[in-house]
Amino acid sequence: MAVWSKLQKSLYLIVSDKVDFQIHCSVYRMNSQRGSIDLPRYWITIGKEIVFDYPKQFINAEGNEHYPYQNQISDISDCIREYIDCPVGLLPQKKFENDLWGITDILKAVDKRLGKGKLYDYFASSDAVIKNILNKRFE
């Protein structure tokens, strides 16, 4: 896994200035009688609203009420890196197979390399979070 600050900086270079987008990653060390593990938290804010929160929004979705012990620190960062490195012409329709969390849809919505028409066409039937981001970006 690359250094988080470098990955974060690379991502900020492609994010539209019209959206108050921030992405964060923290790793918490958990020690127990069974051993130690690094537990990740990724979250994205648009303004003051958290629109992506791993693992919080995924714990109950999996039917698990406990913090996931198989963590995906590298997987999420790798997915972000794959998104950044993807050629712009392929982005609007590209399905990122390793994106198990829907993070690339948020990245597409804030990516200044992608135009209004293509994004509205791509996200025509998308969820409220994505529509809200697009509305803020193109107001």
Side-chain angles (χ1 to χ4, degrees):
M1 177 173 82
V3 175
W4 171 251
S5 60
K6 289 182 181 181
L7 183 62
Q8 184 184 41
K9 183 178 178 180
S10 296
L11 185 56
Y12 284 156
L13 291 174
I14 64 170
V15 170
S16 172
D17 296 335
K18 295 180 180 182
V19 180
D20 186 11
F21 171 91
Q22 291 187 7
I23 185 168
H24 308 277
C25 176
S26 291
V27 178
Y28 304 96
R29 187 83 175 153
M30 187 189 84
N31 297 311
S32 73
Q33 294 174 347
R34 296 182 181 166
S36 300
I37 190 166
D38 290 333
L39 302 174
R41 179 177 182 223
Y42 284 84
W43 70 102
I44 295 174
T45 60
I46 303 293
K48 294 185 181 198
E49 179 186 1
I50 297 175
V51 297
F52 179 87
D53 196 352
Y54 174 88
K56 184 179 180 182
Q57 73 188 65
F58 299 95
I59 292 173
N60 291 334
E62 297 172 359
N64 184 1
E65 295 185 13
H66 302 286
Y67 206 97
Y69 287 94
Q70 265 190 316
N71 67 56
Q72 298 167 322
I73 298 172
S74 296
D75 296 342
I76 293 173
S77 290
D78 291 345
C79 185
I80 293 169
R81 173 49 57 196
E82 180 185 2
Y83 178 86
I84 293 168
D85 293 341
C86 182
V88 178
L90 299 178
L91 278 177
Q93 299 300 325
K94 180 159 173 69
K95 299 286 186 199
F96 291 85
E97 294 178 21
N98 296 325
D99 182 6
L100 307 175
W101 318 273
I103 195 168
T104 57
D105 281 348
I106 295 171
L107 299 180
K108 286 178 186 180
V110 299
D111 191 333
K112 67 183 175 186
R113 302 173 299 172
L114 300 175
K116 183 177 183 177
K118 286 187 179 187
L119 287 175
Y120 274 109
D121 288 346
Y122 178 75
F123 289 120
S125 62
S126 193
D127 65 19
V129 170
I130 299 297
K131 287 184 180 182
N132 185 32
I133 293 170
L134 291 176
N135 288 337
K136 287 181 180 184
R137 180 174 168 198
F138 296 115
E139 288 183 335

